[in-house]
Amino acid sequence: MYRLYISRDMILYCWCPTLCTGTCAAFVEGNITEFYRKVYHRSLQFGGAVGGIGGVVYFIAMIIIGVLREKWPCLKVAGLIGGLFAFGIFTVFVGPLVPIPESYKLIISIGALYLCMACGACVLLNSLTLSADMLSPVVGSEQAMSMSLNAFTVAFNVGGFIGPIIGGALLLVLDYQEVIAIAFPILALFSLCLGIFHLKKNTGLTGIS
């Protein structure tokens, strides 16, 4: 049974998405207050308020995504793959690295941060349930959810641990904006590969493992 934890489907649909999201989220959220203080000359209280509202955005996103998935189960895969890709895109605007008028940069940055949180919620929730759905024919629905939750928790916690370490090392040679934006090509490439794999799997071009 424990081999199921490292099966191909679990790695692609649970371990990797959760690890990537946890790593990015830990770095972005852990450094955003200092970023706003240094770049936009905002107070620590301002950064804390932005983070607090972000928590509410994350919670609301979880509720909305949960309702939509129950009504349209097909959105689980679309939410996982699209959420990963969108998360990567919005990281570019947290800096932002794209050319934007100076007076709008802070507003765009905060908006992109909240969108990243919503996309993160979409990825995490769909990753958890998709992996459970794939395991349930083998071990039963209750055991499948338990195994998926175990893998999900480990991957997210590992991401939360290594995110600040990797990000901190990159900050020695790059700006905060550039470090955040690195997530875009990684998440975009992974979401593309996951989408191709899922299409092949469901058209019979690859086996289930």
Side-chain angles (χ1 to χ4, degrees):
M1 182 179 294
Y2 288 102
R3 291 182 179 179
L4 293 173
Y5 279 112
I6 55 173
S7 64
R8 183 182 61 191
D9 287 346
M10 281 293 287
I11 291 173
L12 289 176
Y13 290 95
C14 184
W15 287 100
C16 288
T18 305
L19 181 63
C20 289
T21 304
T23 301
C24 295
F27 174 76
V28 172
E29 294 175 14
N31 293 274
I32 197 68
T33 297
E34 185 66 13
F35 170 65
Y36 286 150
R37 188 184 69 83
K38 286 185 176 181
V39 176
Y40 297 107
H41 311 291
R42 300 291 175 166
S43 65
L44 295 177
Q45 290 78 10
F46 177 85
V50 170
I53 296 173
V56 176
V57 171
Y58 181 86
F59 178 73
I60 294 174
M62 279 284 193
I63 296 175
I64 295 174
I65 294 164
V67 172
L68 292 176
R69 285 181 322 127
E70 289 301 317
K71 190 171 184 179
W72 296 292
C74 61
L75 292 180
K76 292 179 183 179
V77 175
L80 174 60
I81 297 173
L84 279 167
F85 189 81
F87 191 112
I89 290 178
F90 292 131
T91 58
V92 178
F93 293 89
V94 173
L97 282 181
V98 293
I100 293 174
E102 195 68 31
S103 57
Y104 294 105
K105 279 190 174 183
L106 180 58
I107 297 174
I108 295 295
S109 176
I110 295 173
L113 177 66
Y114 292 158
L115 288 171
C116 281
M117 290 182 173
C119 290
C122 186
V123 171
L124 296 175
L125 192 57
N126 286 306
S127 175
L128 176 64
T129 53
L130 267 175
S131 54
D133 290 345
M134 293 173 181
L135 288 173
S136 59
V138 181
V139 297
S141 57
E142 185 175 342
Q143 183 68 19
M145 181 53 72
S146 177
M147 293 179 67
S148 295
L149 187 59
N150 289 339
F152 171 89
T153 302
V154 171
F156 190 78
N157 287 339
V158 170
F161 176 74
I162 67 175
I165 295 176
I166 296 175
L170 291 173
L171 282 175
L172 297 176
V173 293
L174 298 172
D175 294 334
Y176 180 75
Q177 298 98 311
E178 295 170 333
V179 175
I180 297 177
I182 289 175
F184 171 58
I186 296 174
L187 295 178
L189 179 61
F190 177 69
S191 63
L192 178 62
C193 292
L194 183 58
I196 293 172
F197 170 79
H198 187 78
L199 286 175
K200 287 184 176 181
K201 177 180 175 181
N202 286 274
T203 52
L205 298 180
T206 183
I208 299 176
S209 176

